Every structure is written in structure tokens, then in C-alpha cells.
Amino acid sequence: MFRSIGNAVVRHPVWTIVAWLIAAVAIVATAPGLPSNSDESSFLPKSYESIKAADLQAKAFPSAFTPSAIALYQRTDGGRLTAADLQDVARITSELGKKHIDQVQKVVPGQPSKDGRYTMTLVQMDSKNAGQPKQSDAAKVLRDDVKKLTQGTHLDVKLGGSAAQALDQQDSSQRGQALIGIGTFVIILVTLLIIFRAPILAILPLILIGLVSAVANGLIAYATKLFDLQANSSISSILIVVLFGVGTDYFLFLMFRYRERLRAGDEPKQAMINAVGRVGEAIASAAGAVIIAFLALVLSTLGFLKQMGPALAIAVGATLIAGLTLIPAVVSLIGPKVFWPSKSWQKEPENARFAALGRGMQRRPALAAVASGLVLIALSLGTLGYKATFDLASGSMPKTKESMVVQDQMQKAYSAGAAAPTDVYLSSTDGKPLDTSAFDAYAKKLGAVDGVASARMNQVNKAGTTADFTVTLKYEASTDKAIETVGKVRDVAHAGAPAGTDALVGGMSSIFKDINAAVNHDYRTVFPVAALLIMVILGLLLRSVVAPWYLMASVGLGFGATLGATVWIFQKGQGHSGLMFMLPVIMYLFVVAIGTDYNILMIARLREEAREGREPREAAGMALRHAGPTVAAAGFILAATFATMMLAGNALLTEMGFAVSFGIAVAAFVMAMFFTPSLTALIGHAAWWPGHGDRAQEATAGAGGASHGHGPAAGQTRDAVAPDPSGRRN
């Protein structure tokens, strides 16, 4: 099949390129805009308690005051606020309310801090649009207006709260995307120049993948609208890296094999057809593993991950199609001039390092397996110290952003949980008014919970059937202690509810607790499903039941080593309270799926060498010699492109960038180069049971007269195994 694809696109390159250009223009011109949502509660299904509480609040208290923005005032000299300062704050609050800013429903004065150095203006916005870009726009207007109104006073003012955090997160994301895009571009360009010493080959993938990126983003926008998925600004940064990183990988897989066929004496167009025929199955299987792993995210309970899965799967799918059609068409049109001005493509280099590594693997596969396995196990021990953190806002932007400064100052000036209090909603089960005489006792029970700073009855709805109790925690809403405390509040709220009533606990800490439960559900669901589906792909590719098991075991060790190293670097080394809660899921999918690419490439080459009649150890050594440079180059570029995410300047993308780049480096330079081929050499022919995919073609032909009926070379002509100038058979 892949040989037929190669033949079609190479024989008709102009039509292939024109078809891509027409599709790109049509998709980009008609694609809808991609929305964005930064409201954490929108990530959860309606079945979780925190979401039920939010729905109840909207029905029972439609005009309830929940600040979306907080203007925090202090004197410019840091002293206590004077009576004149407080009068200025009252004036500013009144004037802000009179401006009737879009989305702003109410502006009221807040309480001064106990030390008298801070006070607030609280701004309520339309709860229906929480997390939407229009509220970020409102926060920008508010921030500008409140600073103008403060001019001429002795006050310094900063705007915080969820709307301001969304604004700062948006600005940080745009800056991060620019840095990631530039970093990715430079790394790919420089690395390809070093590898091929050919400017055309260095620039070509950037141009082609840029075209694929436009197509993929259009398709993602269509899918997001069609299936009503949630969108998040962080996805754009990840998409840049996935498209250019994975796209360059597939470009390298193809170009290394194309160059190899040219060295073997193939006519240029035939060389590309043979390259697509030989490496096409490996690329398709590798992309299939990535797509399957990403699509497993649709089983997630978090809206953010549900949207990320299909988006990334679409991106990789578009990259795969381009790798099998657009890239071969363009390169075949240019021909060997693509390598200009270098002449090194005309002869096979000695590859002394990889030849030496191959010989070492051939002589001592057990040593290679044990040494690489011990490295993975040692790094995996760090997973024992893993902790999660749920502060997505501060994790998505630097601490120096204005909304983050407000959050830190409020924690010091007020109770840490004052900025995001917990609400307990007590409702009658029979529709009759509540017994108000039980309120004081119920509030005392809630206030007595360890970790609660205060609890009071706030308001009752007009029908008297639902009461709102405001519970202020001693801890900031996203901390482990706050999440643990809200769990205790839930227990007391449910158990202590008077007869004939039900209680629901809402607020940000309650949302974070439910997100924690949702992530744990995803670990139990997404991980095994993705692993099982990838094993099926490996089994189909290798026609083996044995090999997929140890291949997935090696990838599992790679994941453990990656998470362990990330814990040691960020939790132990930099003192982070925990890693972002979604990191292990994303890491698992990237490291398992993309890490499997290199295993697939290496094991496919090993099988190819075995089919030349080589014994398992020799085949492993030759596979490392000839596929090693491809894996090393692709692994370096992909790891380096993911590392550019660390330039974004926020905890989420910094941790993600390090973890995924480290995991890919482990997958390429430890698993694919040493662990997997050494295990295959040790297991021997049994690794291919029951398909016997490593049998020599000649032996198979002699036995059954059907040499073309096995493995990825089925239906391929023998020109794909012609001797090359070095005397080695390909």
C-alpha cells in the first residue's frame, strides 16, 4: 500500500502539491474562530458536587454577589490607610460603578484588612460568561480605569480576581507562544543544517509543516465547534510543538531512507518510491500510536483534556498525510538538488560511533539491557514523592503578573481563603421553608472543622428553601491543605445537615477537589486504554504477540523515569509544592505515544535486518548502526522543540516542557537505542512469535515460494534490497 502511495505522489508531484494548496486555502478561509475558556469549573461534568452547587446557586441566588475582579488598594508608602484614603477608595468605587462597563453588574466596597493597610473594591460580572474572552476585555478596561481614578491620590491599586487572572493568562500565553514558535523554528533550522549541511533541506520542513499547521488549526476549529468542545489557550502552545516536532520527525525518517536509497544507486524518483514503501509503514504505525493515545483523552472527565485529545490527534493525522504525500512530492520534484551544496549524501559515512555502539550491542546485549534498565528504574523512584497542585491560574503565568501579586498580597493581608470562600448550600428536600432556628448550630459545626477560619449564615433565598453558608478557609483555595479541608467540610455539611435537608458544597476549593477526583479517574481509565490500543498497533505492525509486551514495558519504565526526574527537579530541587495536576496525563500520552515512535522505527529496522538472514544479535547491532543516527537526530530535535516550552515563563509550560523533552530524550537515547534492541536480541526469534516476522526472505521463499507475503515489505520488489556502495544489503 505504501509503495503504491509513494508511486502515485512521485509520478504526479505537481497535482499532489496543488491538491494540498487548494485544501489549505479552502479550510483556512472557511474555518470558524477557536474560542477559549479559562474557567476551571467548565472543565468538569455536571455530576460533580461543586458543579451541582454552582447550578443551585444560580437558581436560588441569581443576584448573589460573587466577585470576578478585586481592586486591592494600599498606600504608596506602605503605611496604614487614613480616613482621606478611605474616602478616595469610596469615590473610586462609586465612579467605577457609574461607568457601566460591559459585563460588570455590580461594584461595591470591600472590607479593610485587620492591619488597616489594605482595602478592596469588589466587582461582580455576568456569571454566564465566566472565563470567556469578553470578561478578560472587561478586566482590561477596569484595570485602566481604576488606575486613572487613583491618580492624584496617595493610593496604589492593583486588579486581581478571576477575570484579571484570565487577562494576564491570555497575555502570558501570547508571549509564550511567540517564544515557543521562534525557539522551535531556530532549533529545527540549525539542527537540520548541521545534519544535512543543505539550506534547502533545513528550510523545507518549516515551510511544509507551516502549511500543515494552517490546515490542522482549521480542522481543529471545525471539530471544536462541531462537537461543542472546550478550548484553552495553552493548547495553542502545545500544538505548535507537536506539529513542528512530530512533522520534523517524519521528515527525517523519510529523508534518511531517501538518502540511503540514493547511495544504493536508485534513480532519484525510484529512490523516493522505495523510501516511502520501506519507511511508510513505520511512520504510519508511529503516527497511529500517537493518534490513538491522544484520542484516548476523549475518555477523560475534564473538558480541557477532552478538547486536547481530538485537537492533537487531528494535528498528527494531518502531519502523517503530509509525510506520505506532500513531502515526497516536493522532494521528488526537487530531486537530489535538495542536498545542495553538500556532496556527503553521495557516499555512506563511516558512522563510527553508531557502528561501535552496534558492535557493543551485538557482543553484550545483556549488559546493555541491564545498564539501561537500571537507569530507568533509578529515575522512576522519584515518582514516590509526586504531589499535585491545582492552581491553574498561577501555574499558567509568572508570579510577577499583576493578578498574581494581588493574590499573594491578599493571602498575607486577609485570611488566605478570603479571596475564594467556600459556600455550603442547605436546601429542604420537601420544598418547604427551612427551619431557621437550626442555622446557628449548623454554622458552628462548619466553623469547628479543622482548617476553617470562620463560617456564617450568609443569606436565604426568597422562598426560604435554600440557605447559603459562607465558609472561609485558612488556606489559599488551590493548596493541598485547602482541598483536604474542603473534604472535611463536605463530610460535616452532609452529616450535620438538619433532618429534611440536603447540603452541597461549592466554591473554588470544592472545584479543585472534584478536579482531583476526575484526574484520578482519568489515570484509571485513559492510561490502560491508551496502552492497550498502542499494543494492538504494535502487534499488527510486528505480527507478534510477544514484542508488544516488552516494548510497552520499556515505555512504561520511560514514563516512570520521566515523572521521577520531574519530581526531583521541580519538587525537590526548586521547592515546588507539587506538579500541575494534568502533567502526568499529558506526560504519559506524549512519552508513551511519541516515545513509541522511536521504538517502532528501531524494531522495524531490526526486523528488516533479520530478514536479510542475520541472527538476532547481529540484526540488533546492525539496526542500531543504521537506524541510530535517525533516532538520535529525530529525538534531539523533538526533545529540543518541546524544551522551548520552558521559555514561556510559567510553571505549567515549564514543567510540561521539561518533562516531555526529558521523556523523549529517554525514549530515543535509552529505550530505542539500548533497552529495546538489547531485549530483542536476548529474546531472539521468540520475540516475533507467532508471526516469525524476522525470517529471512530467501528462507521464506524457499520454504513456501511466497516471499512477498510477510511483513511491511509485502508486495515490494527486490530493488529495495539491492547492495549499496559499502557492500551492505539494504
Side-chain angles (χ1 to χ4, degrees):
M1 180 180 78
F2 295 101
R3 188 176 182 80
S4 299
I5 293 172
N7 189 67
V9 299
V10 169
R11 300 304 179 195
H12 307 284
V14 174
W15 286 112
T16 303
I17 296 167
V18 168
W20 263 95
L21 290 174
I22 292 173
V25 170
I27 291 170
V28 172
T30 60
L34 188 64
S36 181
N37 196 333
S38 59
D39 179 19
E40 285 90 343
S41 66
S42 68
F43 298 163
L44 288 167
K46 300 290 186 182
S47 58
Y48 282 87
E49 180 169 349
S50 58
I51 307 304
K52 290 180 180 178
D55 291 342
L56 176 61
Q57 178 195 16
K59 293 175 183 176
F61 306 103
S63 60
F65 190 91
T66 304
S68 299
I70 300 170
L72 184 67
Y73 306 88
Q74 66 177 133
R75 281 184 62 84
T76 52
D77 60 10
R80 289 174 63 88
L81 295 169
T82 65
D85 294 330
L86 294 175
Q87 286 179 356
D88 285 331
V89 171
R91 172 185 57 81
I92 293 168
T93 302
S94 175
E95 291 187 25
L96 274 179
K98 293 176 183 177
K99 286 182 175 290
H100 302 295
I101 298 169
D102 180 46
Q103 295 297 306
V104 173
Q105 295 179 326
K106 194 181 297 183
V107 182
V108 301
Q111 293 294 320
S113 62
K114 291 181 180 179
D115 61 9
R117 295 174 58 229
Y118 295 90
T119 192
M120 300 180 290
T121 293
L122 305 178
V123 181
Q124 179 179 339
M125 296 187 188
D126 187 352
S127 61
K128 295 177 182 177
N129 295 319
Q132 297 297 327
K134 60 179 67 177
Q135 293 207 348
S136 300
D137 296 339
K140 189 176 190 308
V141 175
L142 272 170
R143 183 172 282 170
D144 292 339
D145 285 352
V146 76
K147 289 183 186 298
K148 288 177 184 176
L149 291 170
T150 310
Q151 290 175 0
T153 70
H154 296 288
L155 296 170
D156 176 65
V157 63
K158 293 181 176 67
L159 192 76
S162 59
Q165 287 177 354
L167 172 64
D168 290 341
Q169 185 178 343
Q170 177 180 299
D171 292 341
S172 179
S173 175
Q174 290 173 349
R175 174 181 173 274
Q177 284 180 41
L179 289 171
I180 289 168
I182 294 169
T184 299
F185 185 92
V186 170
I187 286 169
I188 293 174
L189 185 66
V190 172
T191 307
L192 290 178
L193 276 172
I194 293 171
I195 292 172
F196 293 107
R197 298 178 179 86
I200 297 175
L201 264 182
I203 297 171
L204 190 60
L206 295 170
I207 296 172
L208 297 181
I209 298 167
L211 176 64
V212 176
S213 174
V215 172
N217 276 293
L219 293 174
I220 289 165
Y222 273 121
T224 300
K225 183 176 181 179
L226 181 63
F227 298 106
D228 194 26
L229 300 170
Q230 297 292 340
N232 186 277
S233 54
S234 297
I235 292 177
S236 299
S237 302
I238 300 169
L239 273 175
I240 293 171
V241 177
V242 169
L243 282 163
F244 281 89
V246 173
T248 305
D249 263 13
Y250 298 161
F251 180 82
L252 283 172
F253 290 178
L254 189 65
M255 292 310 301
F256 269 93
R257 186 54 72 99
Y258 175 57
R259 186 175 65 179
E260 186 176 312
R261 295 312 314 154
L262 288 173
R263 287 170 178 166
D266 288 357
E267 182 271 330
K269 288 189 179 296
Q270 190 62 44
M272 181 55 75
I273 294 170
N274 288 339
V276 175
R278 276 299 182 99
V279 85
E281 186 177 27
I283 291 176
S285 299
V290 178
I291 291 169
I292 287 293
F294 288 159
L295 285 179
L297 284 176
V298 301
L299 300 175
S300 170
T301 50
L302 294 174
F304 170 71
L305 295 177
K306 274 181 178 290
Q307 196 272 346
M308 179 185 286
L312 296 178
I314 290 169
V316 175
T319 307
L320 167 63
I321 296 171
L324 295 177
T325 59
L326 180 62
I327 292 173
V330 172
V331 173
S332 67
L333 202 60
I334 300 171
K337 291 179 182 178
V338 76
F339 296 105
W340 179 87
S342 173
K343 297 185 184 298
S344 62
W345 66 270
Q346 297 174 356
K347 59 180 180 179
E348 184 182 10
E350 293 297 325
N351 278 341
R353 292 191 183 91
F354 289 98
L357 287 173
R359 289 193 296 272
M361 170 79 65
Q362 184 174 336
R363 289 195 301 268
R364 298 184 181 86
L367 177 62
V370 170
S372 54
L374 286 176
V375 169
L376 296 175
I377 291 170
L379 289 172
S380 297
L381 294 176
T383 59
L384 300 175
Y386 168 74
K387 291 182 180 179
T389 183
F390 297 87
D391 190 357
L392 189 59
S394 63
S396 300
M397 67 187 108
K399 295 289 186 182
T400 54
K401 284 290 186 180
E402 186 170 328
S403 58
M404 291 295 96
V405 174
V406 171
Q407 179 174 290
D408 291 340
Q409 289 179 334
M410 286 193 64
Q411 289 180 34
K412 296 171 184 175
Y414 298 84
S415 170
T422 295
D423 289 285
V424 178
Y425 299 102
L426 193 67
S427 300
S428 64
T429 56
D430 56 7
K432 296 179 181 179
L434 295 166
D435 179 8
T436 58
S437 64
F439 286 176
D440 288 342
Y442 189 62
K444 285 181 181 178
K445 288 180 182 178
L446 296 174
V449 174
D450 184 32
V452 171
S454 64
R456 60 184 178 82
M457 206 289 292
N458 186 17
Q459 58 184 327
V460 180
N461 69 337
K462 291 181 179 179
T465 55
T466 301
D468 172 16
F469 293 80
T470 299
V471 178
T472 304
L473 307 183
K474 295 178 180 178
Y475 317 108
E476 197 276 319
S478 64
T479 60
D480 290 341
K481 288 184 177 179
I483 294 168
E484 181 182 347
T485 300
V486 87
K488 297 175 185 176
V489 170
R490 282 185 178 181
D491 292 339
V492 171
H494 297 158
T501 65
D502 272 337
L504 290 172
V505 180
M508 288 309 302
S509 294
S510 186
I511 289 171
F512 289 134
K513 182 170 180 61
D514 286 340
I515 288 177
N516 188 30
V519 170
N520 289 333
H521 166 271
D522 292 349
Y523 291 161
R524 296 189 300 270
T525 306
V526 176
F527 282 21
V529 168
L532 180 62
L533 293 175
I534 291 173
M535 284 183 67
V536 170
I537 288 177
L538 289 172
L540 293 173
L541 168 68
L542 303 174
R543 281 74 165 174
S544 168
V545 173
V546 177
W549 286 97
Y550 68 82
L551 289 176
M552 284 307 299
S554 72
V555 172
L557 275 176
F559 167 75
T562 303
L563 181 57
T566 308
V567 168
W568 272 330
I569 293 292
F570 291 98
Q571 286 185 209
K572 307 296 183 184
Q574 296 190 11
H576 289 197
S577 60
L579 303 179
M580 291 306 296
F581 67 91
M582 66 183 72
L583 186 63
V585 175
I586 294 171
M587 187 192 307
Y588 174 84
L589 293 167
F590 277 101
V591 173
V592 169
I594 297 178
T596 303
D597 282 10
Y598 305 125
N599 266 345
I600 287 174
L601 187 68
M602 184 63 73
I603 204 76
R605 186 60 188 245
L606 193 153
R607 180 182 61 179
E608 191 176 318
E609 297 294 341
R611 284 177 167 179
E612 298 290 322
R614 296 182 175 91
E615 288 301 309
R617 292 192 179 200
E618 184 187 2
M622 293 300 290
L624 179 54
R625 175 186 174 183
H626 297 293
T630 310
V631 170
F636 173 79
I637 288 178
L638 192 58
T641 52
F642 271 103
T644 61
M645 295 172 71
M646 299 172 70
L647 299 173
N650 65 66
L652 173 60
L653 291 180
T654 298
E655 291 174 3
M656 193 183 299
F658 171 82
V660 177
S661 61
F662 184 87
I664 288 168
V666 166
F669 296 99
V670 180
M671 291 181 343
M673 283 199 191
F674 297 103
F675 196 63
T676 297
S678 60
L679 279 180
T680 306
L682 289 171
I683 296 171
H685 296 292
W688 308 98
W689 183 87
H692 304 296
D694 64 332
R695 283 185 178 176
Q697 297 281 20
E698 293 84 358
T700 306
S707 65
H708 300 299
H710 299 271
Q716 293 179 15
T717 60
R718 295 301 294 169
D719 65 349
V721 290
D724 68 9
S726 67
R728 181 180 62 82
R729 297 175 70 194
N730 275 317

